[in-house]
Amino acid sequence: MATTGTGTTNFTAFYNTWSDQLHQLLRQLCSAPKPPTTQDHIHHLNHLVNKLLSHYSEYYRVKAAAVERDVLDIFAAPWASSLEKSLHWIAGWRPTTVFHLVYTESSILFESHIVDILRGVRTGDLGDLSPSQFRRVSELQCETVKEENAITDELSEWQHSVSDLMGACTDVDQMIGRLARVVQKADDLRLKTLKRMADLLTPQQAVEFFIAAAELQFGIREWGKNQDRQRDFYPSG
């Protein structure tokens, strides 16, 4: 893993290294046997899922330290494209995106396997979620929406109190500390949502979910970087 440094420049370097490592993990996920045909295959998929979760945990561990140092730089996110920043919710991705991704992937795969499913053939992938899984995913979604809204409200309260910065007795450090705690809560919810979703899925489904999540992340990043390069090449005005 990349090491932690001081300042946003070092976090940007960490992010780039972390992203390269995610690319490598994505290749491992894509080459894994699906569906798993032996117990060893299942163990291998579980191992890959745990590696992914550890990788995300490391990201949020290092980011938490960077937030403590300078939360405003983390909000500025110099490592992200303009498109990525436009999609950010409190310095990162919105936790409920997880559910949109699962439902979309499930729907696409279900339609592609509809003939087999009607014949009673189980595919075991995200298009083959059981009624129990759908219920638990829905319950988790409701919980996540509630927590997400609470954090959004907390950020709104912080933003409404910004006018207090003009007061002679305002403790600016205290206000910045409050903002850092909001970001930490958002990051905690992001990581918790990933872990709980992985727990609800089978190893095969979890691998498919993380492949879709990584491909979405990389797709948005590349599209955003291309747009930024075009704007730099063809400046407006």
Side-chain angles (χ1 to χ4, degrees):
M1 293 295 179
T3 56
T4 312
T6 302
T8 310
T9 299
N10 285 324
F11 184 77
T12 299
F14 164 79
Y15 180 84
N16 290 333
T17 301
W18 181 90
S19 184
D20 288 342
Q21 293 168 344
L22 183 60
H23 268 290
Q24 296 173 19
L25 290 172
L26 175 60
R27 286 193 288 271
Q28 294 179 38
L29 293 177
C30 291
S31 63
K34 295 180 288 292
T37 55
T38 68
Q39 197 63 36
D40 285 343
H41 288 165
I42 294 175
H43 287 320
H44 180 58
L45 295 185
N46 272 322
H47 175 66
L48 291 178
V49 170
N50 288 331
K51 283 179 67 174
L52 256 293
L53 290 174
S54 294
H55 195 57
Y56 282 111
S57 295
E58 173 70 357
Y59 171 78
Y60 288 113
R61 184 190 68 80
V62 175
K63 184 181 176 185
V67 167
E68 285 296 317
R69 287 193 297 270
D70 195 336
V71 64
L72 298 181
D73 272 349
I74 294 300
F75 259 97
W79 58 87
S81 66
S82 299
L83 175 62
E84 289 173 289
K85 293 175 188 178
S86 74
L87 297 173
H88 277 179
W89 170 82
I90 313 184
W93 52 272
R94 187 177 286 273
T96 45
T97 303
V98 164
F99 304 99
H100 298 303
L101 186 59
V102 168
Y103 291 140
T104 298
E105 289 296 311
S106 177
S107 177
I108 291 172
L109 290 172
F110 178 83
E111 291 180 5
S112 67
H113 300 321
I114 185 64
V115 175
D116 289 335
I117 292 173
L118 290 176
R119 291 174 177 171
V121 177
R122 305 301 300 272
T123 59
D125 57 20
L126 281 173
D128 194 20
L129 292 173
S130 69
S132 175
Q133 283 179 307
F134 270 117
R135 176 181 55 78
R136 287 181 290 162
V137 169
S138 179
E139 290 171 352
L140 178 58
Q141 182 179 16
C142 291
E143 294 176 22
T144 305
V145 167
K146 184 177 179 180
E147 292 185 63
E148 192 179 273
N149 288 341
I151 297 171
T152 298
D153 290 343
E154 191 169 345
L155 177 63
S156 295
E157 291 175 7
W158 183 88
Q159 291 171 331
H160 290 154
S161 68
V162 167
S163 59
D164 295 338
L165 287 172
M166 304 305 294
C169 299
T170 299
D171 187 337
V172 176
D173 289 340
Q174 184 181 50
M175 290 199 66
I176 296 301
R178 282 177 54 199
L179 180 60
R181 287 190 291 275
V182 172
V183 174
Q184 189 58 60
K185 287 182 181 180
D187 284 342
D188 288 346
L189 181 58
R190 282 184 263 266
L191 183 57
K192 181 174 73 171
T193 304
L194 284 177
K195 289 181 175 179
R196 293 188 65 184
M197 179 59 73
D199 286 341
L200 294 178
L201 302 174
T202 66
Q204 178 187 347
Q205 292 166 344
V207 166
E208 291 171 350
F209 163 70
F210 280 117
I211 289 174
E215 289 179 341
L216 177 63
Q217 177 179 338
F218 291 136
I220 291 174
R221 183 166 180 77
E222 285 305 310
W223 188 23
K225 287 167 66 177
N226 288 336
Q227 292 297 312
D228 286 347
R229 282 193 288 266
Q230 289 180 28
R231 275 201 303 275
D232 289 340
F233 192 74
Y234 301 107
S236 59

